[in-house]
């Protein structure tokens, strides 16, 4: 079967670093996505990993290990505007995106 | 940039009404999707369409239908609205042939539907 799991909620401090983990199980895999969703708004694309390793994009980085069915999103130098939900999703063998329930990130001053 | 437009941001309807949610994209994307999003449950796929006049059921199609008469427009229909259909509805589209990150979704701004 297929499943994907991520923590429901995390809290971090402004200026700090936070890592949001995502684990998945699937027989067919076509990449892993991270999206950011502010309250009441649509999800927006953050990153895509299809090969193992770390992809860095400014303050945000995303890591993938296909053998472990594991990804994380790393946010550095946290800002208040980073308070949002972060959704991970993998592409299955039919290129359908299978979504996690999202991690609500709360940033405290 | 791709733009996905949903006709209403907020909608209040009565139980039993027939409700139409419209979604239009402007970048010639083949694939379009309708999701509902509820707290703690994440995104759940209602219906999707890979081409004009084509539709496929997602994970929770009961109580919904869709229409895709033109490539750019994908409509979600609640045949007889019920209170358990109160939710945030998100439309998304994508260009599958691009491959790689290009097959990620672009979402509309969402419609928050309340059924009373």
């Amino acid at each position: 079967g297929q499943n994907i799991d991520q923590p429901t909620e995390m809290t971090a401090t402004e200026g700090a670093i936070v890592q949001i983990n995502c684990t998945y199980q699937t027989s067919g895999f076509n990449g892993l996505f991270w999206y950011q969703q502010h309250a009441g708004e649509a999800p927006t694309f953050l990153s895509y990993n299809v090969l193992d390793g770390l992809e860095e994009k400014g303050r945000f980085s995303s890591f993938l290990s296909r053998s472990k069915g594991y990804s994380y999103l790393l946010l550095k130098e946290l800002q208040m505007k980073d308070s949002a939900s972060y959704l991970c999703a993998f592409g299955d063998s039919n290129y359908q995106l299978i979504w996690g329930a999202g991690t609500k990130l709360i940033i405290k001053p | 940039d791709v733009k996905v437009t949903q006709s209403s941001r907020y909608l209040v309807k009565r139980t039993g009404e027939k409700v139409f949610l419209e979604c239009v994209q402007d970048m010639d994307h083949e694939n379009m999707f309708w999701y509902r999003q509820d707290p703690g449950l994440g995104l759940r796929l209602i219906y999707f369409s890979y081409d004009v006049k084509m539709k496929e059921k997602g994970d929770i199609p009961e109580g919904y239908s869709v229409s895709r008469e033109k490539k750019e427009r994908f409509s979600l229909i609640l045949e007889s609205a019920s209170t358990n259909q109160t939710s945030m509805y998100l439309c998304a589209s994508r260009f599958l042939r691009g491959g790689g990150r290009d097959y990620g979704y672009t979402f509309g701004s969402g419609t928050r539907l309340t059924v009373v």
Side-chain angles (χ1 to χ4, degrees):
Chain A
Q2 299 176 321
N3 64 69
I4 183 166
D5 194 35
Q6 54 182 128
T8 303
E9 187 174 295
M10 298 181 71
T11 302
T13 305
E14 190 177 14
I17 299 173
V18 71
Q19 177 175 310
I20 303 173
N21 296 326
C22 175
T23 58
Y24 64 89
Q25 280 185 309
T26 179
S27 54
F29 178 77
N30 281 298
L32 190 126
F33 292 84
W34 283 95
Y35 282 73
Q36 181 190 57
Q37 185 178 24
H38 285 101
E41 297 183 10
T44 55
F45 172 85
L46 280 179
S47 69
Y48 171 74
N49 295 66
V50 67
L51 299 176
D52 291 351
L54 188 68
E55 295 271 348
E56 298 187 73
K57 196 189 303 184
R59 294 190 298 114
F60 291 11
S61 303
S62 57
F63 172 84
L64 176 67
S65 168
R66 289 171 296 171
S67 61
K68 295 182 179 177
Y70 169 67
S71 173
Y72 67 73
L73 181 69
L74 191 72
L75 291 76
K76 302 176 187 175
E77 301 168 17
L78 285 170
Q79 302 174 9
M80 297 305 293
K81 67 179 182 180
D82 297 330
S83 292
S85 289
Y86 292 86
L87 313 180
C88 66
F90 68 83
D92 69 9
S93 55
N94 294 317
Y95 292 90
Q96 283 278 18
L97 293 195
I98 309 301
W99 296 87
T103 298
K104 183 178 180 180
L105 178 62
I106 299 167
I107 311 295
K108 295 186 174 179
Chain B
D1 275 354
V2 177
K3 193 166 183 183
V4 180
T5 303
Q6 293 185 231
S7 52
S8 304
R9 195 71 193 265
Y10 298 94
L11 213 52
V12 179
K13 295 291 181 180
R14 295 196 180 278
T15 302
E17 275 193 79
K18 192 168 185 175
V19 181
F20 294 85
L21 302 183
E22 305 288 344
C23 176
V24 177
Q25 50 93 4
D26 65 359
M27 280 298 289
D28 203 34
H29 281 183
E30 298 97 342
N31 303 168
M32 297 188 75
F33 305 82
W34 274 106
Y35 286 89
R36 63 177 284 177
Q37 186 177 35
D38 301 287
L41 297 178
L43 291 169
R44 292 185 290 167
L45 183 62
I46 305 171
Y47 268 95
F48 61 99
S49 169
Y50 277 4
D51 205 347
V52 178
K53 305 255 184 199
M54 179 264 183
K55 58 188 177 186
E56 292 283 347
K57 292 179 180 179
D59 300 319
I60 52 163
E62 296 78 19
Y64 304 94
S65 63
V66 289
S67 171
R68 193 160 181 207
E69 297 295 317
K70 294 184 178 180
K71 193 174 188 178
E72 67 271 18
R73 186 181 296 271
F74 192 35
S75 303
L76 179 69
I77 302 153
L78 285 67
E79 298 292 342
S80 176
S82 63
T83 54
N84 63 13
Q85 292 179 310
T86 291
S87 185
M88 168 71 94
Y89 289 87
L90 288 164
C91 175
S93 74
R94 72 170 176 193
F95 182 60
L96 181 60
R97 284 174 290 162
R101 61 154 283 183
D102 290 336
Y103 84 94
Y105 296 2
T106 299
F107 285 90
S109 55
T111 296
R112 187 164 291 283
L113 173 68
T114 302
V115 182
V116 297

